[in-house]
Each structure stands twice: as C-alpha cells, then as structure tokens.
Amino acid sequence: MISLPDLILPKVRHFGLSIDRTTIRATELDNVGRIRALAEVRFPEELFISGVLVKPDIFVTALKNLYIAGKFTTPFVTVCFPEAYAFTRETSMPVVPFEEVHEAIGWQTTNLFPFPKEDIYFDWKILRSDEKEYQLAVVAVQKIVLDPLTEAILHAGLKPLLFEPDASAIARLVHLPDDKYALVTDINPRGAYVTLVEGEKAIFTTAISISSTDTQDVYLANIAQSIKEIGAYYKQKNIISDGISVILTGEYATSQQVKQMAGSLPYATKVLNT
C-alpha cells in the first residue's frame, strides 16, 4: 500500500473512497462490518489525463457532494485508485533488520521502476522470507499522479490515511492464495482495466478503451479478447497454470455481463460481491 509521505496512520474510524475515470464511490462500515453509508457521484466530463488530475475544482466539488450525499460520520478516508497508474515489481534482497528494509529498497528503485527515486512514492510488502533472503512486492506511484489527488482530497475537507491500487484491494477481498491467479476486470462506461493478480500482488495491467462507435457487445468482446490474450501469454511463459479465474467489478459488472462474457472465456467468471 502507498502511504502518504511522513504520515503516521492513526487507528481512527474512516471510510473507503474508490476513484476511477468516470465516478467516485465511497463506503463506510459500522463496528461489526455492515455498510453504514454508501454514496456515488459521477463526473460530468473527463477529469484525468493519463492518471493525472487536470480539473481539480470539479473533483473537489464532487468529493464534497459525495460526503454530503453519504452522510459520512468521519473525515478520515482510505483511497483506491486505478491499478494502471501504479507500478508493481517483485524483488529480493538479503535479510536485514526490519527497520532498515525501506531504506534498502530505496536504493533499488531506479532499477525497479522507470522513474527517478525523487519522482515516486513507494511502499513494499514481504511476500516470503527465509534465513538469508526476503522476497518482496514493491509498489510505486508517480508523484505527479498522487500529489494532485492528495491536495484535492485535503481541499475538500477530508483526511487521507493511505492510497492503494484498486486491484490490490480487490485481491484482498477475494482472499486468493499466494499460488492462485485471477484476472481482475474493472468495466466502466469510458474504459476497462484488466489486472493479473497472484494472491494480493498485481503482476500486469492493461487498459481497454471504448470508442464512440463501439456497441456494448463490441466493447465486451474486446475485453474478453484481452483477458484471453493475457491468460494465454502468461500460461505460455509457464508463469501460471490452470485455476485462473476472472473477477468482474465496476459499473458494467453485472450478472448479465458474466453470462455474456463467460460463454467466450475459458475461465470461471464471477462478479465481485462485497
């Protein structure tokens, strides 16, 4: 997960905010995990270009409207954003004291990501370890993507606790074992993302656009084709074997879409229910 720079995460009640190119959605749970508040606001126009917020005033207004509509009881918020704007790499390093891991990874970021260290925020998670070595997942987000979001959220009167790519959050919800794979597919009116996930780790993400002349059938067929190509590629590389599943989420993820896409996919397909 990507934490805000130099921010100690307090254990306070908060709600979850999901951001995509067309909509923001938020959910607050009560003390026993039931939904206490739920709201959604759609954007009247495209607010992001290549993941960068370019119309902050409209975004701030949408956030304020969302907070009022949901009657949320706390300004603290955790934020999910599209996986396509994050970069995940797996790496290894010799075992060092836990408090030194972050600094040690910092020296590797220029080898892991195509950006200078000063241009990104990064975080990490230990996947496996033995007496000699850590296997880690390292996630990076460009500051030009995260900083405008943070500024707008603060300007709307909210207090962000952390940021997380949405496919990683979804992977935690479905509790995939570390050796199991899923193609998390986020389908929305202006485009879709397909992310190959192993356990709680995102491996690869691709975007599928929709043109003004595409029918919904053509759009869904293009998504299904991308899913098949990703699955076939990683099977050919012997990275995955059988047991892959497709998890649909997003505004267009309905039981009807499952039926329509399942007929053309060689994988078990379901809608994410939370």
Side-chain angles (χ1 to χ4, degrees):
M1 290 180 284
I2 304 296
S3 299
L4 287 173
D6 303 320
L7 179 65
I8 298 174
L9 301 183
K11 293 184 178 180
V12 297
R13 188 177 72 256
H14 61 275
F15 67 95
L17 172 67
S18 175
I19 301 172
D20 65 33
R21 294 185 296 179
T22 62
T23 312
I24 50 175
R25 300 177 178 88
T27 305
E28 182 181 336
L29 305 181
D30 63 18
N31 293 333
V32 294
R34 296 172 302 195
I35 293 177
R36 197 210 68 78
L38 183 69
E40 174 183 302
V41 171
R42 298 190 183 189
F43 303 140
E45 54 188 294
E46 193 74 56
L47 304 190
F48 298 87
I49 295 178
S50 299
V52 178
L53 179 64
V54 294
K55 298 181 180 179
D57 292 344
I58 297 175
F59 187 69
V60 169
T61 299
L63 287 171
K64 291 179 177 179
N65 291 339
L66 181 83
Y67 190 80
I68 293 170
K71 299 180 180 179
F72 296 103
T73 62
T74 172
F76 291 99
V77 59
T78 62
V79 184
C80 286
F81 59 93
E83 188 79 31
Y85 304 135
F87 299 84
T88 302
R89 300 289 187 269
E90 189 169 336
T91 188
S92 61
M93 61 178 292
V95 169
V96 297
F98 190 78
E99 62 272 14
E100 297 178 12
V101 172
H102 192 83
E103 182 180 359
I105 294 173
W107 291 104
Q108 298 185 34
T109 55
T110 52
N111 296 324
L112 294 173
F113 305 106
F115 310 104
K117 179 182 176 181
E118 60 271 17
D119 290 349
I120 62 173
Y121 298 121
F122 71 92
D123 208 343
W124 51 272
K125 176 181 178 181
I126 295 177
L127 302 174
R128 296 172 296 277
S129 65
D130 55 31
E131 294 180 354
K132 297 182 179 180
E133 191 175 66
Y134 290 136
Q135 291 289 330
L136 307 107
V138 184
V139 181
V141 178
Q142 290 178 273
K143 291 182 178 180
I144 62 171
V145 170
L146 204 55
D147 285 349
L149 279 181
T150 304
E151 183 177 348
I153 291 168
L154 290 170
H155 192 65
L158 302 178
K159 300 178 180 180
L161 298 177
L162 60 85
F163 291 81
E164 182 177 20
D166 52 14
S168 300
I170 291 169
R172 286 190 292 103
L173 285 176
V174 299
H175 303 295
L176 281 176
D178 288 340
D179 60 344
K180 297 297 182 182
Y181 295 82
L183 288 160
V184 177
T185 306
D186 187 5
I187 310 176
N188 291 290
R190 296 178 192 167
Y193 300 105
V194 180
T195 302
L196 177 64
V197 173
E198 177 194 7
E200 296 182 9
K201 177 184 64 177
I203 296 175
F204 171 81
T205 296
T206 190
I208 298 96
S209 59
I210 180 172
S211 72
S212 58
T213 59
D214 286 343
T215 64
Q216 183 164 308
D217 287 346
V218 170
Y219 180 39
L220 293 176
N222 290 339
I223 296 170
Q225 182 61 32
S226 293
I227 290 171
K228 288 187 285 187
E229 289 175 356
I230 294 170
Y233 176 82
Y234 282 93
K235 282 189 174 183
Q236 185 180 16
K237 294 291 185 180
N238 294 318
I239 294 175
I240 62 175
S241 57
D242 294 333
I244 192 170
S245 59
V246 176
I247 301 170
L248 302 182
T249 185
E251 190 173 334
Y252 278 3
T254 66
S255 56
Q256 180 181 353
Q257 314 303 359
V258 169
K259 291 179 181 178
Q260 185 169 346
M261 294 181 69
S264 61
L265 292 175
Y267 313 119
T269 305
K270 67 178 182 179
V271 172
L272 176 66
N273 293 313
T274 59

